[in-house]
Each structure stands twice: as structure tokens, then as C-alpha cells.
PDB file of all heavy atoms in Angstrom:
ATOM      1  N   ALA A   1      16.557-156.440-138.512  1.00 97.00           N
ATOM      2  CA  ALA A   1      17.414-156.871-137.410  1.00 97.00           C
ATOM      3  C   ALA A   1      17.280-155.942-136.206  1.00 97.00           C
ATOM      4  O   ALA A   1      17.336-156.393-135.053  1.00 97.00           O
ATOM      5  CB  ALA A   1      18.866-156.932-137.873  1.00 97.00           C
ATOM      6  N   ALA A   2      17.087-154.654-136.474  1.00 97.00           N
ATOM      7  CA  ALA A   2      16.912-153.699-135.373  1.00 97.00           C
ATOM      8  C   ALA A   2      15.618-153.971-134.608  1.00 97.00           C
ATOM      9  O   ALA A   2      15.535-153.709-133.404  1.00 97.00           O
ATOM     10  CB  ALA A   2      16.903-152.277-135.920  1.00 97.00           C
ATOM     11  N   GLN A   3      14.629-154.510-135.309  1.00 97.00           N
ATOM     12  CA  GLN A   3      13.356-154.845-134.665  1.00 97.00           C
ATOM     13  C   GLN A   3      13.421-156.174-133.922  1.00 97.00           C
ATOM     14  O   GLN A   3      12.539-156.485-133.117  1.00 97.00           O
ATOM     15  CB  GLN A   3      12.242-154.919-135.723  1.00 97.00           C
ATOM     16  CG  GLN A   3      12.081-153.679-136.569  1.00 97.00           C
ATOM     17  CD  GLN A   3      11.853-152.424-135.758  1.00 97.00           C
ATOM     18  OE1 GLN A   3      10.987-152.399-134.885  1.00 97.00           O
ATOM     19  NE2 GLN A   3      12.647-151.391-136.008  1.00 97.00           N
ATOM     20  N   HIS A   4      14.462-156.967-134.222  1.00 96.00           N
ATOM     21  CA  HIS A   4      14.627-158.287-133.594  1.00 96.00           C
ATOM     22  C   HIS A   4      16.067-158.436-133.105  1.00 96.00           C
ATOM     23  O   HIS A   4      16.850-159.222-133.644  1.00 96.00           O
ATOM     24  CB  HIS A   4      14.286-159.404-134.592  1.00 96.00           C
ATOM     25  CG  HIS A   4      12.877-159.343-135.113  1.00 96.00           C
ATOM     26  ND1 HIS A   4      12.506-158.532-136.159  1.00 96.00           N
ATOM     27  CD2 HIS A   4      11.750-159.985-134.710  1.00 96.00           C
ATOM     28  CE1 HIS A   4      11.213-158.682-136.394  1.00 96.00           C
ATOM     29  NE2 HIS A   4      10.735-159.548-135.532  1.00 96.00           N
ATOM     30  N   PRO A   5      16.450-157.664-132.078  1.00 95.00           N
ATOM     31  CA  PRO A   5      17.847-157.635-131.628  1.00 95.00           C
ATOM     32  C   PRO A   5      18.354-158.958-131.073  1.00 95.00           C
ATOM     33  O   PRO A   5      19.565-159.141-130.927  1.00 95.00           O
ATOM     34  CB  PRO A   5      17.836-156.551-130.548  1.00 95.00           C
ATOM     35  CG  PRO A   5      16.412-156.483-130.093  1.00 95.00           C
ATOM     36  CD  PRO A   5      15.600-156.759-131.298  1.00 95.00           C
ATOM     37  N   GLN A   6      17.448-159.877-130.779  1.00 94.00           N
ATOM     38  CA  GLN A   6      17.868-161.172-130.256  1.00 94.00           C
ATOM     39  C   GLN A   6      18.412-162.090-131.356  1.00 94.00           C
ATOM     40  O   GLN A   6      19.012-163.130-131.076  1.00 94.00           O
ATOM     41  CB  GLN A   6      16.697-161.867-129.539  1.00 94.00           C
ATOM     42  CG  GLN A   6      15.650-162.521-130.430  1.00 94.00           C
ATOM     43  CD  GLN A   6      14.683-161.541-131.088  1.00 94.00           C
ATOM     44  OE1 GLN A   6      14.828-160.329-130.957  1.00 94.00           O
ATOM     45  NE2 GLN A   6      13.694-162.059-131.781  1.00 94.00           N
ATOM     46  N   VAL A   7      18.201-161.699-132.604  1.00 97.00           N
ATOM     47  CA  VAL A   7      18.650-162.517-133.739  1.00 97.00           C
ATOM     48  C   VAL A   7      20.141-162.310-133.985  1.00 97.00           C
ATOM     49  O   VAL A   7      20.629-161.171-133.990  1.00 97.00           O
ATOM     50  CB  VAL A   7      17.854-162.165-135.010  1.00 97.00           C
ATOM     51  CG1 VAL A   7      18.405-162.925-136.215  1.00 97.00           C
ATOM     52  CG2 VAL A   7      16.371-162.474-134.817  1.00 97.00           C
ATOM     53  N   ALA A   8      20.860-163.395-134.215  1.00 98.00           N
ATOM     54  CA  ALA A   8      22.273-163.311-134.580  1.00 98.00           C
ATOM     55  C   ALA A   8      22.360-163.168-136.097  1.00 98.00           C
ATOM     56  O   ALA A   8      22.059-164.112-136.836  1.00 98.00           O
ATOM     57  CB  ALA A   8      23.015-164.561-134.122  1.00 98.00           C
ATOM     58  N   LEU A   9      22.728-161.988-136.570  1.00 98.00           N
ATOM     59  CA  LEU A   9      22.810-161.708-138.003  1.00 98.00           C
ATOM     60  C   LEU A   9      24.255-161.819-138.465  1.00 98.00           C
ATOM     61  O   LEU A   9      25.134-161.109-137.972  1.00 98.00           O
ATOM     62  CB  LEU A   9      22.271-160.303-138.295  1.00 98.00           C
ATOM     63  CG  LEU A   9      22.333-159.837-139.753  1.00 98.00           C
ATOM     64  CD1 LEU A   9      21.472-160.725-140.644  1.00 98.00           C
ATOM     65  CD2 LEU A   9      21.908-158.371-139.865  1.00 98.00           C
ATOM     66  N   LEU A  10      24.503-162.705-139.417  1.00 98.00           N
ATOM     67  CA  LEU A  10      25.853-162.937-139.927  1.00 98.00           C
ATOM     68  C   LEU A  10      25.900-162.582-141.408  1.00 98.00           C
ATOM     69  O   LEU A  10      24.966-162.881-142.167  1.00 98.00           O
ATOM     70  CB  LEU A  10      26.251-164.405-139.730  1.00 98.00           C
ATOM     71  CG  LEU A  10      26.199-164.932-138.285  1.00 98.00           C
ATOM     72  CD1 LEU A  10      26.579-166.409-138.248  1.00 98.00           C
ATOM     73  CD2 LEU A  10      27.123-164.127-137.385  1.00 98.00           C
ATOM     74  N   ARG A  11      27.029-161.968-141.826  1.00 98.00           N
ATOM     75  CA  ARG A  11      27.189-161.554-143.218  1.00 98.00           C
ATOM     76  C   ARG A  11      28.542-162.017-143.754  1.00 98.00           C
ATOM     77  O   ARG A  11      29.575-161.417-143.449  1.00 98.00           O
ATOM     78  CB  ARG A  11      27.074-160.030-143.327  1.00 98.00           C
ATOM     79  CG  ARG A  11      25.634-159.517-143.253  1.00 98.00           C
ATOM     80  CD  ARG A  11      25.563-158.018-143.303  1.00 98.00           C
ATOM     81  NE  ARG A  11      24.223-157.556-143.640  1.00 98.00           N
ATOM     82  CZ  ARG A  11      23.637-156.478-143.131  1.00 98.00           C
ATOM     83  NH1 ARG A  11      24.304-155.737-142.246  1.00 98.00           N
ATOM     84  NH2 ARG A  11      22.424-156.131-143.490  1.00 98.00           N
ATOM     85  N   PRO A  12      28.556-163.076-144.548  1.00 98.00           N
ATOM     86  CA  PRO A  12      29.826-163.539-145.130  1.00 98.00           C
ATOM     87  C   PRO A  12      30.323-162.554-146.193  1.00 98.00           C
ATOM     88  O   PRO A  12      29.545-161.743-146.703  1.00 98.00           O
ATOM     89  CB  PRO A  12      29.449-164.891-145.750  1.00 98.00           C
ATOM     90  CG  PRO A  12      27.980-164.772-146.032  1.00 98.00           C
ATOM     91  CD  PRO A  12      27.419-163.922-144.932  1.00 98.00           C
ATOM     92  N   PRO A  13      31.614-162.600-146.546  1.00 97.00           N
ATOM     93  CA  PRO A  13      32.192-161.647-147.505  1.00 97.00           C
ATOM     94  C   PRO A  13      31.845-161.988-148.952  1.00 97.00           C
ATOM     95  O   PRO A  13      32.573-162.720-149.634  1.00 97.00           O
ATOM     96  CB  PRO A  13      33.696-161.782-147.250  1.00 97.00           C
ATOM     97  CG  PRO A  13      33.856-163.197-146.789  1.00 97.00           C
ATOM     98  CD  PRO A  13      32.627-163.510-145.980  1.00 97.00           C
ATOM     99  N   VAL A  14      30.739-161.458-149.444  1.00 97.00           N
ATOM    100  CA  VAL A  14      30.273-161.788-150.795  1.00 97.00           C
ATOM    101  C   VAL A  14      30.069-160.549-151.670  1.00 97.00           C
ATOM    102  O   VAL A  14      29.519-160.656-152.772  1.00 97.00           O
ATOM    103  CB  VAL A  14      28.945-162.583-150.727  1.00 97.00           C
ATOM    104  CG1 VAL A  14      29.155-163.963-150.115  1.00 97.00           C
ATOM    105  CG2 VAL A  14      27.878-161.805-149.945  1.00 97.00           C
ATOM    106  N   ASP A  15      30.518-159.387-151.196  1.00 95.00           N
ATOM    107  CA  ASP A  15      30.206-158.129-151.875  1.00 95.00           C
ATOM    108  C   ASP A  15      30.598-158.093-153.353  1.00 95.00           C
ATOM    109  O   ASP A  15      29.900-157.488-154.168  1.00 95.00           O
ATOM    110  CB  ASP A  15      30.888-156.956-151.164  1.00 95.00           C
ATOM    111  CG  ASP A  15      30.296-156.685-149.792  1.00 95.00           C
ATOM    112  OD1 ASP A  15      29.273-157.301-149.457  1.00 95.00           O
ATOM    113  OD2 ASP A  15      30.864-155.861-149.048  1.00 95.00           O
ATOM    114  N   HIS A  16      31.735-158.695-153.709  1.00 92.00           N
ATOM    115  CA  HIS A  16      32.212-158.539-155.083  1.00 92.00           C
ATOM    116  C   HIS A  16      31.733-159.626-156.033  1.00 92.00           C
ATOM    117  O   HIS A  16      32.182-159.701-157.180  1.00 92.00           O
ATOM    118  CB  HIS A  16      33.749-158.451-155.107  1.00 92.00           C
ATOM    119  CG  HIS A  16      34.446-159.627-154.500  1.00 92.00           C
ATOM    120  ND1 HIS A  16      34.554-159.812-153.150  1.00 92.00           N
ATOM    121  CD2 HIS A  16      35.074-160.679-155.080  1.00 92.00           C
ATOM    122  CE1 HIS A  16      35.234-160.924-152.909  1.00 92.00           C
ATOM    123  NE2 HIS A  16      35.546-161.470-154.056  1.00 92.00           N
ATOM    124  N   TYR A  17      30.783-160.447-155.573  1.00 95.00           N
ATOM    125  CA  TYR A  17      30.186-161.433-156.471  1.00 95.00           C
ATOM    126  C   TYR A  17      28.828-160.967-156.948  1.00 95.00           C
ATOM    127  O   TYR A  17      28.092-160.293-156.221  1.00 95.00           O
ATOM    128  CB  TYR A  17      30.049-162.785-155.766  1.00 95.00           C
ATOM    129  CG  TYR A  17      31.371-163.429-155.450  1.00 95.00           C
ATOM    130  CD1 TYR A  17      31.857-163.457-154.141  1.00 95.00           C
ATOM    131  CD2 TYR A  17      32.153-163.973-156.464  1.00 95.00           C
ATOM    132  CE1 TYR A  17      33.083-164.030-153.848  1.00 95.00           C
ATOM    133  CE2 TYR A  17      33.392-164.546-156.181  1.00 95.00           C
ATOM    134  CZ  TYR A  17      33.843-164.572-154.874  1.00 95.00           C
ATOM    135  OH  TYR A  17      35.059-165.126-154.592  1.00 95.00           O
ATOM    136  N   ARG A  18      28.489-161.337-158.170  1.00 94.00           N
ATOM    137  CA  ARG A  18      27.188-160.987-158.719  1.00 94.00           C
ATOM    138  C   ARG A  18      26.206-162.152-158.569  1.00 94.00           C
ATOM    139  O   ARG A  18      26.599-163.293-158.391  1.00 94.00           O
ATOM    140  CB  ARG A  18      27.317-160.584-160.192  1.00 94.00           C
ATOM    141  CG  ARG A  18      28.094-159.278-160.378  1.00 94.00           C
ATOM    142  CD  ARG A  18      28.152-158.840-161.820  1.00 94.00           C
ATOM    143  NE  ARG A  18      28.821-157.550-161.959  1.00 94.00           N
ATOM    144  CZ  ARG A  18      29.045-156.945-163.117  1.00 94.00           C
ATOM    145  NH1 ARG A  18      28.655-157.527-164.247  1.00 94.00           N
ATOM    146  NH2 ARG A  18      29.646-155.763-163.147  1.00 94.00           N
ATOM    147  N   ALA A  19      24.943-161.827-158.703  1.00 94.00           N
ATOM    148  CA  ALA A  19      23.895-162.807-158.440  1.00 94.00           C
ATOM    149  C   ALA A  19      23.959-164.022-159.363  1.00 94.00           C
ATOM    150  O   ALA A  19      23.558-165.120-158.973  1.00 94.00           O
ATOM    151  CB  ALA A  19      22.527-162.142-158.559  1.00 94.00           C
ATOM    152  N   LEU A  20      24.471-163.847-160.579  1.00 90.00           N
ATOM    153  CA  LEU A  20      24.498-164.953-161.535  1.00 90.00           C
ATOM    154  C   LEU A  20      25.882-165.583-161.686  1.00 90.00           C
ATOM    155  O   LEU A  20      26.153-166.280-162.663  1.00 90.00           O
ATOM    156  CB  LEU A  20      23.985-164.473-162.898  1.00 90.00           C
ATOM    157  CG  LEU A  20      22.530-163.971-162.889  1.00 90.00           C
ATOM    158  CD1 LEU A  20      22.129-163.499-164.281  1.00 90.00           C
ATOM    159  CD2 LEU A  20      21.569-165.049-162.397  1.00 90.00           C
ATOM    160  N   ASP A  21      26.750-165.382-160.707  1.00 93.00           N
ATOM    161  CA  ASP A  21      28.117-165.919-160.762  1.00 93.00           C
ATOM    162  C   ASP A  21      28.191-167.395-160.349  1.00 93.00           C
ATOM    163  O   ASP A  21      29.096-167.792-159.595  1.00 93.00           O
ATOM    164  CB  ASP A  21      29.052-165.104-159.858  1.00 93.00           C
ATOM    165  CG  ASP A  21      29.564-163.850-160.525  1.00 93.00           C
ATOM    166  OD1 ASP A  21      29.454-163.742-161.759  1.00 93.00           O
ATOM    167  OD2 ASP A  21      30.087-162.968-159.809  1.00 93.00           O
ATOM    168  N   PHE A  22      27.310-168.209-160.850  1.00 92.00           N
ATOM    169  CA  PHE A  22      27.296-169.612-160.421  1.00 92.00           C
ATOM    170  C   PHE A  22      28.485-170.413-160.951  1.00 92.00           C
ATOM    171  O   PHE A  22      28.818-171.462-160.393  1.00 92.00           O
ATOM    172  CB  PHE A  22      25.980-170.280-160.830  1.00 92.00           C
ATOM    173  CG  PHE A  22      24.808-169.832-159.994  1.00 92.00           C
ATOM    174  CD1 PHE A  22      23.945-168.852-160.447  1.00 92.00           C
ATOM    175  CD2 PHE A  22      24.598-170.379-158.731  1.00 92.00           C
ATOM    176  CE1 PHE A  22      22.884-168.426-159.666  1.00 92.00           C
ATOM    177  CE2 PHE A  22      23.539-169.955-157.946  1.00 92.00           C
ATOM    178  CZ  PHE A  22      22.680-168.974-158.415  1.00 92.00           C
ATOM    179  N   LEU A  23      29.130-169.929-161.994  1.00 90.00           N
ATOM    180  CA  LEU A  23      30.336-170.610-162.466  1.00 90.00           C
ATOM    181  C   LEU A  23      31.519-170.351-161.534  1.00 90.00           C
ATOM    182  O   LEU A  23      32.586-170.939-161.702  1.00 90.00           O
ATOM    183  CB  LEU A  23      30.683-170.163-163.890  1.00 90.00           C
ATOM    184  CG  LEU A  23      29.764-170.703-164.993  1.00 90.00           C
ATOM    185  CD1 LEU A  23      30.128-170.106-166.333  1.00 90.00           C
ATOM    186  CD2 LEU A  23      29.825-172.232-165.058  1.00 90.00           C
ATOM    187  N   LYS A  24      31.332-169.485-160.547  1.00 94.00           N
ATOM    188  CA  LYS A  24      32.363-169.223-159.539  1.00 94.00           C
ATOM    189  C   LYS A  24      32.027-169.927-158.221  1.00 94.00           C
ATOM    190  O   LYS A  24      32.458-169.494-157.148  1.00 94.00           O
ATOM    191  CB  LYS A  24      32.503-167.712-159.307  1.00 94.00           C
ATOM    192  CG  LYS A  24      32.979-166.949-160.534  1.00 94.00           C
ATOM    193  CD  LYS A  24      33.135-165.464-160.238  1.00 94.00           C
ATOM    194  CE  LYS A  24      33.622-164.703-161.463  1.00 94.00           C
ATOM    195  NZ  LYS A  24      33.766-163.247-161.193  1.00 94.00           N
ATOM    196  N   THR A  25      31.268-171.010-158.313  1.00 95.00           N
ATOM    197  CA  THR A  25      30.819-171.716-157.112  1.00 95.00           C
ATOM    198  C   THR A  25      31.961-172.056-156.167  1.00 95.00           C
ATOM    199  O   THR A  25      31.905-171.777-154.962  1.00 95.00           O
ATOM    200  CB  THR A  25      30.061-172.998-157.497  1.00 95.00           C
ATOM    201  OG1 THR A  25      28.822-172.629-158.127  1.00 95.00           O
ATOM    202  CG2 THR A  25      29.755-173.855-156.277  1.00 95.00           C
ATOM    203  N   LYS A  26      33.018-172.680-156.684  1.00 95.00           N
ATOM    204  CA  LYS A  26      34.129-173.100-155.826  1.00 95.00           C
ATOM    205  C   LYS A  26      34.821-171.899-155.183  1.00 95.00           C
ATOM    206  O   LYS A  26      35.192-171.944-154.008  1.00 95.00           O
ATOM    207  CB  LYS A  26      35.131-173.934-156.629  1.00 95.00           C
ATOM    208  CG  LYS A  26      34.593-175.308-157.029  1.00 95.00           C
ATOM    209  CD  LYS A  26      35.636-176.136-157.748  1.00 95.00           C
ATOM    210  CE  LYS A  26      35.070-177.524-158.091  1.00 95.00           C
ATOM    211  NZ  LYS A  26      36.047-178.365-158.815  1.00 95.00           N
ATOM    212  N   GLU A  27      34.958-170.824-155.943  1.00 97.00           N
ATOM    213  CA  GLU A  27      35.589-169.610-155.417  1.00 97.00           C
ATOM    214  C   GLU A  27      34.741-168.999-154.298  1.00 97.00           C
ATOM    215  O   GLU A  27      35.260-168.599-153.252  1.00 97.00           O
ATOM    216  CB  GLU A  27      35.758-168.609-156.563  1.00 97.00           C
ATOM    217  CG  GLU A  27      36.429-167.312-156.179  1.00 97.00           C
ATOM    218  CD  GLU A  27      36.525-166.360-157.350  1.00 97.00           C
ATOM    219  OE1 GLU A  27      36.631-166.830-158.502  1.00 97.00           O
ATOM    220  OE2 GLU A  27      36.487-165.128-157.108  1.00 97.00           O
ATOM    221  N   ILE A  28      33.436-168.947-154.513  1.00 98.00           N
ATOM    222  CA  ILE A  28      32.542-168.370-153.504  1.00 98.00           C
ATOM    223  C   ILE A  28      32.573-169.210-152.225  1.00 98.00           C
ATOM    224  O   ILE A  28      32.673-168.672-151.110  1.00 98.00           O
ATOM    225  CB  ILE A  28      31.101-168.268-154.044  1.00 98.00           C
ATOM    226  CG1 ILE A  28      31.033-167.239-155.173  1.00 98.00           C
ATOM    227  CG2 ILE A  28      30.118-167.899-152.927  1.00 98.00           C
ATOM    228  CD1 ILE A  28      29.718-167.236-155.929  1.00 98.00           C
ATOM    229  N   LEU A  29      32.505-170.519-152.374  1.00 98.00           N
ATOM    230  CA  LEU A  29      32.525-171.396-151.200  1.00 98.00           C
ATOM    231  C   LEU A  29      33.853-171.289-150.457  1.00 98.00           C
ATOM    232  O   LEU A  29      33.890-171.323-149.219  1.00 98.00           O
ATOM    233  CB  LEU A  29      32.246-172.840-151.616  1.00 98.00           C
ATOM    234  CG  LEU A  29      30.798-173.136-152.024  1.00 98.00           C
ATOM    235  CD1 LEU A  29      30.663-174.572-152.518  1.00 98.00           C
ATOM    236  CD2 LEU A  29      29.839-172.893-150.869  1.00 98.00           C
ATOM    237  N   ALA A  30      34.943-171.161-151.200  1.00 98.00           N
ATOM    238  CA  ALA A  30      36.252-171.040-150.549  1.00 98.00           C
ATOM    239  C   ALA A  30      36.368-169.720-149.785  1.00 98.00           C
ATOM    240  O   ALA A  30      36.868-169.679-148.647  1.00 98.00           O
ATOM    241  CB  ALA A  30      37.363-171.151-151.590  1.00 98.00           C
ATOM    242  N   GLU A  31      35.893-168.644-150.390  1.00 98.00           N
ATOM    243  CA  GLU A  31      36.051-167.328-149.769  1.00 98.00           C
ATOM    244  C   GLU A  31      35.148-167.138-148.548  1.00 98.00           C
ATOM    245  O   GLU A  31      35.436-166.325-147.669  1.00 98.00           O
ATOM    246  CB  GLU A  31      35.786-166.222-150.790  1.00 98.00           C
ATOM    247  CG  GLU A  31      36.133-164.846-150.279  1.00 98.00           C
ATOM    248  CD  GLU A  31      36.448-163.861-151.389  1.00 98.00           C
ATOM    249  OE1 GLU A  31      36.658-164.299-152.532  1.00 98.00           O
ATOM    250  OE2 GLU A  31      36.483-162.657-151.095  1.00 98.00           O
ATOM    251  N   THR A  32      34.052-167.886-148.503  1.00 98.00           N
ATOM    252  CA  THR A  32      33.099-167.723-147.396  1.00 98.00           C
ATOM    253  C   THR A  32      33.184-168.866-146.384  1.00 98.00           C
ATOM    254  O   THR A  32      32.310-169.002-145.530  1.00 98.00           O
ATOM    255  CB  THR A  32      31.660-167.630-147.940  1.00 98.00           C
ATOM    256  OG1 THR A  32      31.348-168.820-148.693  1.00 98.00           O
ATOM    257  CG2 THR A  32      31.496-166.414-148.841  1.00 98.00           C
ATOM    258  N   ALA A  33      34.245-169.659-146.456  1.00 98.00           N
ATOM    259  CA  ALA A  33      34.359-170.853-145.606  1.00 98.00           C
ATOM    260  C   ALA A  33      34.323-170.529-144.114  1.00 98.00           C
ATOM    261  O   ALA A  33      33.881-171.354-143.302  1.00 98.00           O
ATOM    262  CB  ALA A  33      35.644-171.607-145.947  1.00 98.00           C
ATOM    263  N   ALA A  34      34.763-169.346-143.736  1.00 98.00           N
ATOM    264  CA  ALA A  34      34.793-168.978-142.311  1.00 98.00           C
ATOM    265  C   ALA A  34      33.396-168.930-141.698  1.00 98.00           C
ATOM    266  O   ALA A  34      33.246-169.016-140.473  1.00 98.00           O
ATOM    267  CB  ALA A  34      35.482-167.629-142.134  1.00 98.00           C
ATOM    268  N   LEU A  35      32.373-168.803-142.540  1.00 98.00           N
ATOM    269  CA  LEU A  35      31.006-168.758-142.022  1.00 98.00           C
ATOM    270  C   LEU A  35      30.656-170.028-141.255  1.00 98.00           C
ATOM    271  O   LEU A  35      29.890-169.986-140.288  1.00 98.00           O
ATOM    272  CB  LEU A  35      30.015-168.552-143.173  1.00 98.00           C
ATOM    273  CG  LEU A  35      28.536-168.491-142.791  1.00 98.00           C
ATOM    274  CD1 LEU A  35      28.252-167.285-141.900  1.00 98.00           C
ATOM    275  CD2 LEU A  35      27.659-168.443-144.051  1.00 98.00           C
ATOM    276  N   ARG A  36      31.218-171.128-141.661  1.00 98.00           N
ATOM    277  CA  ARG A  36      30.963-172.408-140.987  1.00 98.00           C
ATOM    278  C   ARG A  36      31.294-172.334-139.496  1.00 98.00           C
ATOM    279  O   ARG A  36      30.466-172.688-138.641  1.00 98.00           O
ATOM    280  CB  ARG A  36      31.789-173.505-141.667  1.00 98.00           C
ATOM    281  CG  ARG A  36      31.689-174.901-141.078  1.00 98.00           C
ATOM    282  CD  ARG A  36      32.518-175.823-141.942  1.00 98.00           C
ATOM    283  NE  ARG A  36      32.581-177.197-141.457  1.00 98.00           N
ATOM    284  CZ  ARG A  36      33.231-178.179-142.106  1.00 98.00           C
ATOM    285  NH1 ARG A  36      33.855-177.904-143.246  1.00 98.00           N
ATOM    286  NH2 ARG A  36      33.255-179.401-141.614  1.00 98.00           N
ATOM    287  N   ASP A  37      32.484-171.819-139.181  1.00 98.00           N
ATOM    288  CA  ASP A  37      32.880-171.697-137.774  1.00 98.00           C
ATOM    289  C   ASP A  37      32.113-170.578-137.067  1.00 98.00           C
ATOM    290  O   ASP A  37      31.807-170.693-135.872  1.00 98.00           O
ATOM    291  CB  ASP A  37      34.383-171.441-137.665  1.00 98.00           C
ATOM    292  CG  ASP A  37      35.202-172.703-137.912  1.00 98.00           C
ATOM    293  OD1 ASP A  37      34.663-173.810-137.693  1.00 98.00           O
ATOM    294  OD2 ASP A  37      36.369-172.582-138.322  1.00 98.00           O
TER     295      ASP A  37
END
């Protein structure tokens, strides 16, 4: 991102989820809903 400052880099709040937490799909989508706006 530092090499491409024109890029808009967005980071939704996903820190406390693990890579294989697919059974938490609804929870992840609910917690990151603000990314849409």
C-alpha cells in the first residue's frame, strides 16, 4: 500500500476470527456489515 498510495485500502474488523471459522459465517457477515457503506 505504501508503494501504491492512490489505492484505497480498507480493513474490516475480523481480527478475532480464525481462517477456518466458516461455521461462523452469519456472525462474520453481521460484524463486518459496515464495509458495505
Side-chain angles (χ1 to χ4, degrees):
Q3 305 304 310
H4 300 83
Q6 77 284 5
V7 175
L9 178 63
L10 303 178
R11 283 178 163 143
V14 293
D15 291 352
H16 58 283
Y17 293 106
R18 293 183 176 178
L20 298 179
D21 277 344
F22 287 98
L23 287 175
K24 296 182 180 179
T25 292
K26 290 183 178 179
E27 181 182 329
I28 293 170
L29 288 176
E31 189 155 346
T32 59
L35 180 64
R36 178 177 177 178
D37 284 335

